[in-house]
Amino acid sequence: MSERKEFRDLAPPERAHEAIAELDLTPDTETVPLAEARGRVLAERLDAALDVPGFDRASVDGYAVRAEDTFGADEADPERVELVGEVHAGEVPNVTVGPGQCAEISTGAVVPEGADAVVMVERTDREGETVLIRTSLAPGDRIMFAGADVAAGERALGPGTEITAREIGLLSALGVDEVPVRGRPIVGIVSTGDELVRPGDPLESEAGQIYDVNSYTVAAGVAEAGGEPELYPHAGDNREQMERVLRKAADECDLVLSSGSTSASAVDVIYRVIEEQGELLLHGVAVKPGKPMLVGTLDDSAYVGLPGYPVSALTIFRTFVAPAIRRAAGKPEPAGATITGQMAVEERYTEGRLRYMPAGLVTDGDGKTLVYPVDKGSGATTSLVEADGVVAVDPDTEYLGAGEAVEVQLFSPDVRPPTVFGVGEDDPALARLLDRVDRPRYLGQGSRPGLRRLRNGVADIAVTSAPKPDRLEVDQLAMWRREWGLVVPEGNPDGVTGLASLVDDELAFVNRTSDSGLRTSLSEAMAALADERGVDRHDLVEAVDGFDRAVRAHESPARRVRAGKADIGLGLEATAEQLGLGFVPVGTETVRLLAAPDRADKPGVQQLEEAVHSGGDVFISLAGYKTGDKA
Amino acid sequence: MSERKEFRDLAPPERAHEAIAELDLTPDTETVPLAEARGRVLAERLDAALDVPGFDRASVDGYAVRAEDTFGADEADPERVELVGEVHAGEVPNVTVGPGQCAEISTGAVVPEGADAVVMVERTDREGETVLIRTSLAPGDRIMFAGADVAAGERALGPGTEITAREIGLLSALGVDEVPVRGRPIVGIVSTGDELVRPGDPLESEAGQIYDVNSYTVAAGVAEAGGEPELYPHAGDNREQMERVLRKAADECDLVLSSGSTSASAVDVIYRVIEEQGELLLHGVAVKPGKPMLVGTLDDSAYVGLPGYPVSALTIFRTFVAPAIRRAAGKPEPAGATITGQMAVEERYTEGRLRYMPAGLVTDGDGKTLVYPVDKGSGATTSLVEADGVVAVDPDTEYLGAGEAVEVQLFSPDVRPPTVFGVGEDDPALARLLDRVDRPRYLGQGSRPGLRRLRNGVADIAVTSAPKPDRLEVDQLAMWRREWGLVVPEGNPDGVTGLASLVDDELAFVNRTSDSGLRTSLSEAMAALADERGVDRHDLVEAVDGFDRAVRAHESPARRVRAGKADIGLGLEATAEQLGLGFVPVGTETVRLLAAPDRADKPGVQQLEEAVHSGGDVFISLAGYKTGDKA
């Protein structure tokens, strides 16, 4: 085993914030065309270089007159003035308005010399070349004077102003077509694991390769924070190459990020390079996750090393690095980056250090936001999409009670609670239903977790193939049946006939995990077979090669069979058909789509109901049950 | 006057929403690289095409063993196994673990054949080629099985999912490098006014030209809503050219927007083209602003005509058009697009139709959001940056009381209340102070409006050159003096000596508006001169050519002088110096920076105080007064 650096003296989180704040990420100012200025931040104060409008401008369609000619006029006793010309918007007036005269004028046109007021056409009458004015005007009426909107020399926009549509409007009015903005810090992201492969490239699973998750995730986070991400390709396991990539990134970027490789050699290389070519400011932080965080400099660039687990990397990035990028870019934290909710369930802590708890959001029937813990530190990628953000839990907190208010730091400001949150069976008919719902969240964790989370008020819906729950008040939105049995290679080469083949023949089997309804159905069928044969159920199960070889997802056993890694897999007829495999039926299961009654009005639940009732899909006719049936 | 279409039958606002909803803006699906997928919306369901991980993966650094070899092991009585090899991440294991054997393994590496558990290195000891295992393991311990994170065939992401950093993480894990996303509707923006000039091009103010504000503002709004804006240049006042541009835009875009030109000819052309080449679905909506809205089709494209005033155009765009673009792009309304606040002041309405009231936001001392009305329909561009959004006021509402809760639809989700809101004198020293504050809002409307808005609790600070207010409890943050007088051309060609020249010589003068403190100072000086001469003050003022020729901003009179449009301007010595003009002193004014005591802790007020106290700037030494002095 290679020697590893130990994290003996973990820095407090504040020290990590300070260390990152000490790094200089500030990019140079740049100039962008107005059309590309949206979302950028003004680098300097802009004063108006001209008056807006640049001339005395008619605010209405009507007639330009001398106000004193109208004094005393009213509806009963209009004043008569002579029409001597007209002025349209966008043209130089070729008329002067003398005493007793007027000129027709369009909105936006230049008020001609001599005139000092404009009367709306609605308050006038026309008799040939004479205009009757039925109201008294004061000088300046219906005129926007030059500079009345913006005056030349006025402070128009201050440094640090974030440029949105409205600022673009003001800049346009001032004729500004090139805008001096804060540069975006360039953030290099170096991929460090020997086992990491770029998405799109072929993957050798047998060699332990996995796709590189953190590079693209962190790049998206960098862009969101106002930085410009630059991905550096994995340089191979050669130390020299690795050092070359790191130093190239440091040379080209304001900040270099790497996300903790699991390979010891990469960590060692980064260590050595930072120590030789820069300065290590901080090594290890007393937070969970994120302990193995590195902060330092590398040549003239700043450097931060993120942890390797995707949720941990995104959490540490969001908490420690994104604020620094935003600061450098001059962008404030976006509105809606944090939201407040109530714990849906209780949660206990034992760490004694600051913990960032990945959390999912769900709204209850009253629209209140509930927060539930998601990731248990498994390192799973799916935790990324199961979690909406993180809750910072103080080192002293041992317990968060259900209903307690917590603040969730969202992974992105665009993250919102799903319209419906469901947990339960993984099922092909259900997958099609979910396609008709906007922003659902569904975790195919099996019948038992589904019912458990429906019961504790976290999930809105559960999908179960287990028997109807007795002590749970639920709405049954739909019910359908599915054929299950043994999935075998195409043509059933081993002549599998049913459960007996599983027990009696020497065939490799792949089961589902015990949370799955199908596993329960199989166990019941095995028990029935044991009774039939008059043998002990346990002995029967022992005779199966692979009864405990369990996989989580419903297609997985069939896929193992297709890959030639097993002879028989537990699965659905629909799956066997879809994957072009053989199928030996064993039984029929009832799948129920259940909803918590107090969540019936949530938009996603409603959309699910509509999807169930729309007759278009054949599979739904299998449901055959009215919404609202109490299970 | 050209004939104009009348808006006799105004459609209810709901009908406008419906008419726009009837338009088909939906673009084709497209495929983008993963690195460009952020912010896009998934066009179809993505199922996992592979298992993640693709192999049984060690979750820790340690030793891969057969669990049964460790049964019964504990700290006191470790089990001894033989080390037969090692497996690193990213490599094919070249070892098989037999009974009584183990292999060294790195986190992320493939669990070698024969092994069914991994023990953490921390629970082991090493004696040469023998490893002592100090804990009992169950099969599967510290292994993430193939497909345990994501299983091949699982529903990974649904159609309509907005792609943020976390979704990019999951897509990466699945090896997806090209993502099918909803297309962005292409929105053509046609500039229609003869008087409009593109920012950056030269402007002929004397011909009534103004810069085109709405094209860029609306383009920014389109991009923000998820559309792709395409600007079509102004085609000149020729009807045929105009029609050609409109039809070109219709041919190339999903939606064409024009913003109401003030020129009658443009409106007529659009009318005729829509009626001949498309269909007019709606003309005129019962909302203020926005009455002259058009909805229809043009060839195969949708068409919406927006009003001409910038605030009106942005309001109607935000309320009616942006939702349709978002729908077409598949994007939900962003979080934080609306916020709730309390009316800071009362406001009365007489329209009897739905009104979108432009509103500014300010936080009070307790962090509560206050909402105040901004634009009075002046058509000013500055209203764009003075307003943060609009409040929809029901036709039946005649009155909104101070403190009443209202919902503000923000112009952009990034819009937030300023850190400090000030109203008062326009002053060069103040402008430099403001540069040191993050996101201030300051309206240079003069001393009187400043004090009025400080008094009614809208503004946090006021800057006044008027005498100290008597009945107003305020904190004086700073005070400085400024020389004011008569700004004349360089070298003072007319030999102006003081106020006497203004009265006695035939010189054209430009004054400031009556809200300005400088105007008050001038009036007082004129009164003194009248007393001195024993004449009536009014007669003295009458003798000045241009005493009522008043401009709003502090540099404007001087700029008129510089432009040769006046002989004398009221102004500051600092301004004359800056613009290279002559200056005849008349008096010295005291400028006070006053803050509402209950807003003293607001970040922007604090930053202002810091800016005042930082010794770096000379002008501040003029302040010379301690913060907190009660005025």
Side-chain angles (χ1 to χ4, degrees):
Chain A
M1 174 123 311
S2 323
E3 256 186 276
R4 288 283 179 98
K5 299 278 176 182
E6 292 283 330
F7 302 99
R8 277 182 231 275
D9 302 309
L10 295 178
E14 312 77 56
R15 176 63 202 124
H17 281 293
E18 283 165 25
I20 292 176
E22 283 164 25
L23 302 172
D24 178 23
L25 314 184
T26 310
D28 293 336
T29 292
E30 51 181 309
T31 299
V32 296
L34 181 64
E36 292 163 23
R38 187 177 73 89
R40 305 301 296 266
V41 173
L42 208 57
E44 56 195 53
R45 181 169 101 198
L46 279 183
D47 292 342
L50 44 81
D51 280 338
V52 180
F55 53 93
D56 295 345
R57 184 168 187 260
S59 302
V60 293
D61 291 330
Y63 298 93
V65 294
R66 298 166 91 96
E68 58 184 30
D69 286 349
T70 70
F71 290 170
D74 60 19
E75 291 289 335
D77 187 17
E79 288 290 338
R80 303 171 76 89
V81 290
E82 179 200 0
L83 183 63
V84 294
E86 59 180 322
V87 196
H88 291 295
E91 60 184 37
V92 181
N94 59 0
V95 60
T96 300
V97 176
Q101 295 182 333
C102 75
E104 189 179 323
I105 194 163
S106 314
T107 306
V110 179
V111 175
E113 222 183 298
D116 63 0
V118 173
V119 58
M120 291 174 76
V121 67
E122 290 85 349
R123 309 303 293 274
T124 64
D125 289 302
R126 178 91 169 258
E127 291 176 0
E129 293 307 293
T130 299
V131 175
L132 282 68
I133 298 176
R134 309 195 311 263
T135 185
S136 286
L137 304 173
D141 274 1
R142 308 289 179 176
I143 294 176
M144 183 187 256
F145 287 107
D149 189 354
V150 190
E154 268 192 306
R155 184 182 194 276
L157 293 171
T161 303
E162 188 161 3
I163 300 169
T164 67
R166 58 185 188 157
E167 283 79 18
I168 285 177
L170 182 57
L171 292 166
S172 302
L174 297 174
V176 174
D177 65 335
E178 297 215 303
V179 190
V181 295
R182 300 274 292 256
R184 281 197 268 248
I186 301 170
V187 181
I189 297 162
V190 177
S191 167
T192 60
D194 292 351
E195 74 280 26
L196 299 182
V197 173
R198 299 233 132 174
D201 289 348
L203 191 74
E204 285 180 61
S205 285
E206 58 283 9
Q209 291 184 340
I210 55 173
Y211 283 114
D212 179 6
V213 171
N214 288 342
S215 291
Y216 285 91
T217 311
V218 169
V222 165
E224 200 165 83
E228 206 164 281
E230 192 71 58
L231 265 65
Y232 288 84
H234 177 48
D237 48 7
N238 178 300
R239 293 191 179 207
E240 254 172 57
Q241 285 180 338
M242 179 71 177
E243 176 168 344
R244 208 176 303 138
V245 172
L246 278 171
R247 297 193 66 183
K248 181 173 191 300
D251 184 47
E252 294 170 351
C253 303
D254 298 302
L255 167 65
V256 176
L257 298 176
S258 69
S259 78
S261 164
T262 51
S263 82
S265 61
V267 173
D268 290 346
V269 173
I270 290 174
Y271 240 94
R272 194 169 51 76
V273 176
I274 299 281
E275 281 181 342
E276 284 171 14
Q277 313 294 342
E279 191 185 351
L280 188 63
L281 296 174
L282 188 141
H283 180 203
V285 183
V287 297
K288 180 190 167 87
K291 198 173 76 167
M293 184 180 175
L294 296 177
V295 180
T297 58
L298 176 55
D299 295 328
D300 290 333
S301 172
Y303 168 80
V304 177
L306 301 171
Y309 280 173
V311 170
S312 308
L314 190 58
T315 299
I316 293 301
F317 174 80
R318 192 219 176 284
T319 312
F320 292 94
V321 184
I325 293 173
R326 277 199 298 270
R327 248 187 336 264
K331 286 176 90 92
E333 173 154 286
T338 59
I339 68 163
T340 303
Q342 292 182 358
M343 289 294 288
V345 291
E346 66 168 51
E347 180 79 351
R348 290 174 185 279
Y349 304 93
T350 51
E351 285 84 7
R353 55 187 160 113
L354 179 65
R355 178 178 165 167
Y356 291 106
M357 174 185 82
L361 302 177
V362 62
T363 44
D364 71 7
D366 303 324
K368 226 169 42 202
T369 302
L370 302 180
V371 179
Y372 58 93
V374 170
D375 183 60
K376 304 296 186 186
S378 66
T381 318
T382 38
S383 300
L384 271 178
V385 286
E386 287 170 19
D388 295 303
V390 292
V391 174
V393 182
D394 203 74
D396 300 333
T397 302
E398 291 177 357
Y399 176 82
L400 285 175
E404 199 160 323
V406 289
E407 190 176 72
V408 182
Q409 304 172 12
L410 299 180
F411 281 143
S412 305
D414 291 330
V415 161
R416 260 160 322 158
T419 58
V420 57
F421 176 40
V423 180
E425 285 295 299
D426 192 1
D427 181 276
L430 176 74
R432 289 196 296 275
L433 276 180
L434 289 171
D435 285 350
R436 303 163 133 220
V437 179
D438 295 332
R439 296 191 295 115
R441 170 174 289 153
Y442 187 79
L443 311 183
Q445 297 175 338
S447 294
R448 288 191 207 177
L451 288 172
R452 192 180 66 240
R453 298 182 94 166
L454 195 67
R455 192 173 291 122
N456 70 14
V458 174
D460 302 315
I461 59 161
V463 177
T464 161
S465 62
K468 285 188 193 182
D470 275 342
R471 293 182 309 271
L472 189 60
E473 172 91 350
V474 291
D475 290 344
Q476 180 165 308
L477 303 189
M479 176 169 140
W480 61 92
R481 296 179 75 72
R482 59 184 191 185
E483 297 295 317
W484 68 274
L486 305 180
V487 180
V488 294
E490 193 183 358
N492 193 1
D494 299 312
V496 171
T497 54
L499 288 192
S501 312
L502 203 60
V503 178
D504 305 330
D505 301 347
E506 286 291 305
L507 295 170
F509 177 63
V510 179
N511 206 340
R512 295 283 307 283
T513 47
S514 56
D515 278 337
S516 119
L518 222 49
R519 165 79 170 244
T520 308
S521 296
L522 175 65
S523 295
E524 283 163 7
M526 292 292 282
L529 181 64
D531 285 349
E532 200 183 301
R533 294 193 176 181
V535 299
D536 183 64
R537 186 184 156 259
H538 183 73
D539 292 340
L540 207 67
V541 162
E542 282 285 293
V544 176
D545 170 14
F547 197 86
D548 288 324
R549 196 180 293 129
V551 291
R552 194 181 47 75
H554 83 278
E555 284 190 10
S556 298
R559 284 176 180 261
R560 297 272 162 125
V561 169
R562 192 172 65 166
K565 292 181 176 169
D567 303 309
I568 304 178
L570 179 63
L572 301 180
E573 184 175 28
T575 305
E577 248 172 50
Q578 194 198 315
L579 297 178
L581 295 168
F583 181 73
V584 180
V586 175
T588 304
E589 264 188 349
T590 301
V591 182
R592 291 181 170 82
L593 170 56
L594 307 174
D598 61 336
R599 307 281 171 89
D601 293 334
K602 286 186 62 168
V605 178
Q606 301 261 321
Q607 284 185 325
L608 261 182
E609 282 203 58
E610 280 159 32
V612 165
H613 287 124
S614 77
D617 280 301
V618 175
F619 80 94
I620 277 308
S621 70
L622 293 172
Y625 283 77
K626 272 209 353 268
T627 303
D629 287 359
K630 296 294 172 194
Chain B
M1 175 121 313
S2 325
E3 259 188 273
R4 288 282 181 97
K5 298 279 177 185
E6 293 281 332
F7 302 99
R8 278 181 230 276
D9 301 309
L10 294 178
E14 311 75 59
R15 176 65 201 123
H17 280 293
E18 282 165 23
I20 292 176
E22 284 164 25
L23 302 172
D24 178 24
L25 314 183
T26 309
D28 293 334
T29 292
E30 50 183 308
T31 299
V32 296
L34 181 64
E36 293 163 24
R38 189 177 72 88
R40 304 301 296 269
V41 173
L42 208 57
E44 56 195 55
R45 180 170 102 198
L46 279 183
D47 292 342
L50 45 80
D51 280 337
V52 180
F55 54 93
D56 295 345
R57 187 169 186 259
S59 303
V60 293
D61 290 329
Y63 297 92
V65 294
R66 298 166 92 96
E68 59 184 28
D69 286 349
T70 70
F71 291 170
D74 60 21
E75 291 288 335
D77 187 18
E79 286 291 337
R80 303 170 77 90
V81 290
E82 180 200 3
L83 182 63
V84 294
E86 58 182 321
V87 195
H88 292 296
E91 60 183 39
V92 181
N94 60 359
V95 61
T96 300
V97 176
Q101 296 182 329
C102 75
E104 189 179 323
I105 195 163
S106 314
T107 306
V110 179
V111 175
E113 222 183 297
D116 62 1
V118 172
V119 59
M120 292 173 76
V121 67
E122 290 85 347
R123 310 302 295 274
T124 63
D125 288 300
R126 177 93 167 256
E127 290 176 1
E129 293 308 293
T130 300
V131 176
L132 281 67
I133 298 175
R134 308 197 310 262
T135 185
S136 285
L137 304 174
D141 274 1
R142 308 290 180 175
I143 294 176
M144 183 186 256
F145 286 107
D149 189 354
V150 190
E154 269 192 303
R155 185 181 193 275
L157 293 170
T161 303
E162 189 161 2
I163 300 169
T164 67
R166 57 184 187 158
E167 282 79 17
I168 284 178
L170 182 56
L171 292 167
S172 302
L174 296 174
V176 174
D177 65 336
E178 297 215 305
V179 190
V181 295
R182 301 274 291 257
R184 280 196 270 248
I186 300 170
V187 181
I189 298 161
V190 177
S191 167
T192 61
D194 292 351
E195 75 279 25
L196 299 182
V197 173
R198 298 234 132 174
D201 288 349
L203 191 74
E204 286 180 60
S205 285
E206 58 282 9
Q209 291 183 342
I210 55 172
Y211 283 115
D212 178 6
V213 171
N214 288 342
S215 291
Y216 286 91
T217 311
V218 170
V222 166
E224 201 165 82
E228 207 165 279
E230 192 71 56
L231 266 64
Y232 288 85
H234 176 49
D237 47 8
N238 178 301
R239 293 193 180 208
E240 254 172 57
Q241 285 180 339
M242 180 69 177
E243 175 169 343
R244 207 175 305 137
V245 172
L246 277 171
R247 298 193 64 183
K248 182 175 190 301
D251 184 48
E252 294 171 350
C253 302
D254 298 301
L255 167 66
V256 176
L257 298 175
S258 70
S259 78
S261 164
T262 52
S263 83
S265 61
V267 173
D268 291 345
V269 173
I270 289 175
Y271 241 93
R272 194 170 51 75
V273 176
I274 297 281
E275 281 180 343
E276 285 171 14
Q277 311 294 342
E279 191 185 352
L280 189 63
L281 296 174
L282 189 142
H283 180 203
V285 183
V287 297
K288 181 191 165 87
K291 199 173 73 167
M293 183 180 175
L294 296 178
V295 180
T297 58
L298 175 56
D299 296 326
D300 290 332
S301 172
Y303 169 80
V304 177
L306 301 171
Y309 280 170
V311 170
S312 308
L314 190 57
T315 299
I316 293 301
F317 173 81
R318 191 218 177 284
T319 311
F320 292 94
V321 185
I325 294 173
R326 275 199 299 270
R327 244 184 341 259
K331 285 175 89 91
E333 173 154 284
T338 59
I339 68 162
T340 303
Q342 292 183 358
M343 289 294 288
V345 292
E346 65 168 52
E347 181 79 350
R348 290 175 186 280
Y349 305 93
T350 52
E351 284 83 9
R353 55 187 160 110
L354 178 65
R355 180 178 165 168
Y356 291 105
M357 175 185 83
L361 302 177
V362 62
T363 43
D364 72 5
D366 303 323
K368 227 169 39 201
T369 302
L370 302 179
V371 179
Y372 58 92
V374 170
D375 182 61
K376 304 297 185 184
S378 66
T381 317
T382 38
S383 300
L384 271 178
V385 286
E386 287 170 19
D388 295 305
V390 292
V391 174
V393 182
D394 204 73
D396 301 333
T397 302
E398 292 177 357
Y399 175 84
L400 285 175
E404 199 159 322
V406 290
E407 191 177 70
V408 183
Q409 304 172 11
L410 300 179
F411 281 143
S412 305
D414 291 331
V415 161
R416 256 155 329 153
T419 57
V420 58
F421 177 40
V423 181
E425 286 294 299
D426 193 0
D427 182 274
L430 176 72
R432 289 195 295 277
L433 276 180
L434 289 172
D435 285 350
R436 302 163 134 221
V437 178
D438 295 330
R439 295 191 293 115
R441 169 174 290 153
Y442 187 79
L443 310 183
Q445 298 176 337
S447 294
R448 288 191 206 178
L451 287 172
R452 192 180 66 239
R453 299 183 92 165
L454 195 66
R455 193 175 289 120
N456 68 16
V458 174
D460 302 315
I461 60 161
V463 177
T464 163
S465 63
K468 286 187 194 179
D470 275 344
R471 291 184 307 272
L472 188 58
E473 172 90 352
V474 292
D475 289 344
Q476 181 165 306
L477 303 188
M479 176 169 141
W480 62 93
R481 296 179 73 75
R482 58 185 193 185
E483 298 295 317
W484 68 273
L486 305 180
V487 179
V488 295
E490 194 183 358
N492 194 2
D494 299 312
V496 172
T497 56
L499 287 192
S501 313
L502 203 60
V503 177
D504 304 331
D505 303 346
E506 287 291 306
L507 294 170
F509 177 63
V510 180
N511 206 339
R512 294 285 307 282
T513 47
S514 57
D515 277 337
S516 119
L518 222 50
R519 166 79 168 245
T520 309
S521 296
L522 174 65
S523 296
E524 283 163 7
M526 291 293 283
L529 181 63
D531 286 350
E532 198 183 303
R533 293 191 178 183
V535 299
D536 183 64
R537 188 187 154 254
H538 184 73
D539 294 340
L540 206 68
V541 162
E542 281 286 292
V544 176
D545 170 14
F547 197 86
D548 286 326
R549 195 180 294 128
V551 291
R552 193 181 47 76
H554 84 280
E555 283 190 11
S556 298
R559 285 178 179 262
R560 298 269 162 127
V561 171
R562 192 173 66 167
K565 292 182 176 168
D567 303 311
I568 304 179
L570 178 63
L572 301 180
E573 184 176 28
T575 305
E577 247 173 50
Q578 196 198 314
L579 297 178
L581 296 167
F583 180 75
V584 180
V586 176
T588 304
E589 264 188 350
T590 301
V591 182
R592 289 181 171 81
L593 170 56
L594 307 174
D598 60 335
R599 307 281 171 89
D601 293 334
K602 285 186 62 168
V605 179
Q606 301 262 322
Q607 284 185 323
L608 262 181
E609 283 203 58
E610 280 160 31
V612 166
H613 288 123
S614 77
D617 279 301
V618 174
F619 80 95
I620 277 306
S621 70
L622 294 170
Y625 284 78
K626 272 210 351 266
T627 302
D629 286 0
K630 297 292 172 194

